[in-house]
Amino acid sequence: MMVSKKKKLKPNGITFGMAMVILMSIAIVLILTSIKIYLSNQIYYESKVVNKMVREVSVLKAENVMLEQSVEALKFKNRVTDTIFVIQDN
């Protein structure tokens, strides 16, 4: 006589463990994506601040050059005027 063993039927659907793995995977992807978006936004706003400062520095350097030229012109004018007064005194 042969004794027949009944096979256990495995469920063909999605099990609770599979659903939990899928949900955890989705949560991890969402967390990593939100962190990347946050960091990208922070880098963007910081770079805007840095670019503004760079523009201000270049404007101030140009203004400094103009002021130095103005000072040199005034020094030259002052020397020329002093020599004119010295010549007129003689």
Side-chain angles (χ1 to χ4, degrees), residues 45-61:
Y45 290 119
E46 287 299 319
S47 70
K48 281 179 66 174
V49 170
V50 169
N51 286 335
K52 182 181 176 188
M53 287 182 181
V54 167
R55 277 186 271 129
E56 289 176 356
V57 165
S58 65
V59 167
L60 289 174
K61 284 182 180 178

Side-chain angles (χ1 to χ4, degrees), residues 22-77:
I22 291 169
L23 289 176
M24 293 291 258
S25 300
I26 291 172
I28 289 172
V29 167
L30 287 175
I31 289 170
L32 292 176
T33 304
S34 63
I35 290 172
K36 183 202 175 297
I37 291 171
Y38 173 77
L39 290 176
S40 296
N41 284 339
Q42 292 304 315
I43 290 170
Y44 171 74
Y45 290 119
E46 287 299 319
S47 70
K48 281 179 66 174
V49 170
V50 169
N51 286 335
K52 182 181 176 188
M53 287 182 181
V54 167
R55 277 186 271 129
E56 289 176 356
V57 165
S58 65
V59 167
L60 289 174
K61 284 182 180 178
E63 186 178 357
N64 187 29
V65 168
M66 289 174 38
L67 288 173
E68 285 176 355
Q69 290 174 349
S70 176
V71 166
E72 287 299 321
L74 288 173
K75 283 181 183 178
F76 178 75
K77 183 179 177 184

